[in-house]
Amino acid sequence: MSVRVRIAPSPTGNLHIGTARTAVFNWLYAHHHQGTFVLRIEDTDAARSRLEYTENIKSGLKWLGLTWDEGPFFQTQRLDKYQQAVQTLLDQGFAYPCYCTPEELDEMRETQKAQGKAPGYDNRHRHLTPEEKQAFEAQGRKPVIRFKIDSDRQIIWQDAIRDSVSWQGSDLGGDMVIARAAENYEHYGQALYNLAVVVDDIDMQITHVIRGEDHIANTAKQILLYEALDAEIPIFAHSPLILNQEGRKLSKRDGVTSIDDFRKMGFLPQALVNYMTLLGWTFPDSTKEIFTLEEAAAEFDLDRVNKAGAKFDWDKLDWINSQYLHTMPVDQLTDLLIPYWQEAGYKIDQDRSWLENLTALTAPTLNRLTDVIKETSIFFADKVEYSDEAMNLLQQAGVAEVISEIVAGVNSTEALTEEDAQALIKQVTKSQKVKKGLVMRSLRASLTGELHGPDLTQTWLLLNQLGADKTRLQETLTKISG
Ligand code: GLU
């Protein structure tokens, strides 16, 4: 049987890193087995679901390259299927109406708390007689539908990541609600999450349910539903959670959690997806840390996924992103950087080759696309701001003479070439009888206000093409002699 997996996000927020990582594992598993990856939008929570979140989830998955083969399917378009399943479970005696009021349930929980018992439904309406039911109906009570869970039942499954997992029926909180109370119509209302998921996974012939370990208790309940519906139980695989530095589940409190946030922070989709793959999985050759989704898919299997939570490591993500930035073709990177320059208000009406040269010069310094704003600010500044160490250098004896001679040299050339630049540095070194290093440092301090930065000759050439080197050298001279 061919592999069919799915990602089933609820559109109650933007695409979350945890969901995206689950999507990565599903995508890799599907592609490893030439299977099918299904997208299902679990939008039954009308109060919290929004169309814009569905759009965000779809565009986020596409941006990451996690394309799906079928769907998106929407649970709100499948409600009648869930109703049918509720009816089947009622007809076959696996489910029953429960007429408890919210007040009665609260009271029950209070009593359980007072007695030091775990809170849960005590199955009090499991065996109502027809007369008792009628009496509740006569009071105008609308029942929820509950699915029977035997306390002494032990639910065991072979998890593809966690090996054997077992749950005791008594730890599932009593008979579970599978359908809300009816609002307008007679019998019962909308089916709830666990039932809808099972009905869909059966219908969509899902062979492997790969999802976060926060769903383990749901899995125990869902297995009971598969049995009651007489359906084949898929293979379950519960992936480890993504943890913050303190070892707690990564959440909004950690700053960013949505894929949009990562995009805005300047991460590349191929780097982010590469990093997410490593959150819980390693390449068989564990020294290989930079790989495409396709390369990972060729090797991916669930038995190499860790059971332990995966700590989110910003330095590692930065490093992986930098590897992609440093090896990306210059024209492609330039296209990606242009919006950042524009957003920073930098004037980028220079010709394309100037921009590409600037890209090539700064690419090795970038960890994130956003770094380019700071790393190239000096090329777009009207005025140089001198750091303290640059100013100290510029005020050393002999530096003014060095700069004066460079100014004279620059003024006598039209457009500077690399050879001109090097010849001029050599000439000044010789005639001023100073070390070459001093000439270089003086030049860098004058042009950029710093003592450190990318290749000096290239920096100078780019500034020269803007006509900015002459003004900056002149301004430096005025400043140090004034
Ligand atoms: N809709 C669920 C969620 O967003 C996922 C359900 C599942 O994968 O079974 O957490």
Side-chain angles (χ1 to χ4, degrees):
M1 192 165 50
S2 85
V3 163
R4 291 178 60 85
V5 295
R6 86 300 194 274
I7 185 75
S10 304
T12 53
N14 285 335
L15 179 62
H16 182 271
I17 175 100
T19 310
R21 204 277 310 260
T22 303
V24 171
F25 285 177
N26 276 282
W27 191 98
L28 292 173
Y29 195 73
H31 282 249
H32 182 81
H33 294 280
Q34 283 92 43
T36 305
F37 177 44
V38 177
L39 171 61
R40 184 170 75 226
I41 303 291
E42 304 206 322
D43 56 348
T44 52
D45 183 344
R48 291 169 62 227
S49 294
R50 286 214 220 128
L51 208 59
E52 71 201 64
Y53 294 141
T54 297
E55 288 310 314
N56 179 278
I57 290 165
K58 281 162 51 185
S59 64
L61 290 173
K62 280 190 203 152
W63 182 70
L64 291 167
L66 301 170
T67 44
W68 53 94
D69 307 301
E70 285 181 19
F73 299 110
F74 293 86
Q75 287 196 323
T76 46
Q77 292 171 9
R78 300 173 45 79
L79 298 177
D80 52 339
K81 304 227 181 232
Y82 314 141
Q83 298 286 313
Q84 278 165 25
V86 173
Q87 194 57 54
T88 306
L89 293 171
L90 278 168
D91 292 347
Q92 298 187 351
F94 291 110
Y96 61 90
C98 161
Y99 294 88
C100 291
T101 62
E103 296 73 33
E104 285 168 351
L105 293 173
D106 281 347
E107 205 183 300
M108 178 190 74
R109 277 187 217 108
E110 285 308 315
T111 315
Q112 286 165 338
K113 225 154 98 193
Q115 293 170 347
K117 287 190 194 152
Y121 178 62
D122 61 7
N123 306 345
R124 59 178 67 174
H125 284 188
R126 201 195 259 203
H127 300 291
L128 294 180
T129 62
E131 293 72 30
E132 286 170 321
K133 286 184 196 168
Q134 257 169 22
F136 283 131
E137 302 264 349
Q139 292 171 19
R141 293 196 190 193
K142 302 274 188 200
V144 298
I145 305 300
R146 287 188 185 267
F147 176 76
K148 295 177 186 168
I149 297 181
D150 286 330
S151 301
D152 49 11
R153 172 69 203 269
Q154 202 182 15
I155 305 138
I156 303 175
W157 73 91
Q158 271 310 114
D159 194 284
I161 295 174
R162 313 176 75 81
D163 303 327
S164 181
V165 181
S166 83
W167 270 80
Q168 201 56 45
S170 53
D171 291 335
L172 292 176
D175 292 346
M176 79 167 141
V177 179
I178 52 169
R180 289 200 182 100
E183 277 161 30
N184 302 316
Y185 47 116
E186 245 176 289
H187 300 298
Y188 44 81
Q190 189 176 305
L192 292 184
Y193 166 73
N194 276 307
L195 181 66
V197 167
V198 169
V199 169
D200 284 347
D201 285 339
I202 295 171
D203 246 27
M204 295 172 192
Q205 298 175 304
I206 298 302
T207 56
H208 296 72
V209 173
I210 306 168
R211 58 185 172 196
E213 69 173 51
D214 45 340
H215 282 288
I216 287 187
N218 285 328
T219 297
K221 294 175 184 171
Q222 290 176 14
I223 285 175
L224 298 176
L225 287 168
Y226 278 97
E227 288 175 355
L229 292 167
D230 200 18
E232 196 175 329
I233 300 171
I235 291 170
F236 288 98
H238 291 91
S239 55
L241 297 182
I242 305 176
L243 308 175
N244 64 16
Q245 281 312 303
E246 287 77 50
R248 282 191 295 273
K249 188 178 167 183
L250 194 73
S251 76
K252 287 209 177 83
R253 263 162 288 145
D254 297 298
V256 291
T257 47
S258 91
I259 294 302
D260 258 358
D261 293 332
F262 288 95
R263 185 178 52 75
K264 286 184 198 142
M265 290 173 80
F267 292 107
L268 295 168
Q270 56 273 46
L272 186 55
V273 107
N274 186 154
Y275 178 65
M276 285 194 288
T277 307
L278 289 172
L279 282 172
W281 184 77
T282 42
F283 217 79
D285 166 7
S286 62
T287 59
K288 190 168 166 72
E289 296 193 295
I290 303 295
F291 44 74
T292 62
L293 272 177
E294 285 74 18
E295 286 168 332
E299 303 293 340
F300 188 82
D301 228 329
L302 294 168
D303 56 11
R304 290 191 63 80
V305 175
N306 288 331
K307 293 185 199 47
K311 261 202 184 153
F312 196 91
D313 180 346
W314 286 101
D315 292 340
K316 182 84 181 247
L317 174 58
D318 272 333
W319 179 78
I320 289 179
N321 205 56
S322 77
Q323 299 306 299
Y324 282 87
L325 288 172
H326 299 175
T327 51
M328 185 177 276
V330 169
D331 60 334
Q332 216 174 313
L333 183 55
T334 305
D335 287 342
L336 291 176
L337 294 176
I338 285 173
Y340 290 88
W341 284 320
Q342 284 168 334
E343 206 180 304
Y346 294 167
K347 229 165 112 265
I348 50 161
D349 48 8
Q350 298 79 12
D351 58 25
R352 174 81 188 188
S353 66
W354 187 88
L355 286 177
E356 289 192 0
N357 287 337
L358 179 60
T359 300
L361 180 66
T362 36
T365 67
L366 305 179
N367 284 334
R368 304 180 188 180
L369 289 166
T370 41
D371 291 342
V372 80
I373 296 172
K374 182 171 156 282
E375 295 296 335
T376 60
S377 63
I378 193 64
F379 292 92
F380 301 99
D382 292 334
K383 256 193 155 11
V384 174
E385 305 274 349
Y386 305 91
S387 69
D388 289 347
E389 55 171 9
M391 210 55 218
N392 284 342
L393 180 275
L394 290 170
Q395 281 163 342
Q396 277 179 26
V399 169
E401 291 73 13
V402 165
I403 298 171
S404 297
E405 194 176 338
I406 299 173
V407 172
V410 171
N411 280 336
S412 64
T413 48
E414 273 288 300
L416 198 70
T417 64
E418 197 164 337
E419 293 72 42
D420 294 337
Q422 262 144 29
L424 193 50
I425 291 171
K426 212 164 160 189
Q427 172 205 310
V428 175
T429 306
K430 216 165 153 198
S431 68
Q432 298 297 324
K433 298 193 177 55
V434 290
K435 292 216 167 85
K436 186 178 169 194
L438 183 75
V439 177
M440 305 276 279
R441 281 197 300 279
S442 308
L443 189 56
R444 188 187 287 285
S446 307
L447 294 176
T448 70
E450 299 289 341
L451 290 188
H452 308 280
D455 183 89
L456 179 62
T457 312
Q458 293 306 320
T459 304
W460 187 8
L461 291 181
L462 284 170
L463 286 168
N464 178 267
Q465 284 155 25
L466 298 177
D469 59 337
K470 295 174 199 179
T471 33
R472 289 184 185 188
L473 288 161
Q474 199 58 63
E475 275 168 19
T476 307
L477 264 189
T478 315
K479 185 145 185 140
I480 55 179
S481 52

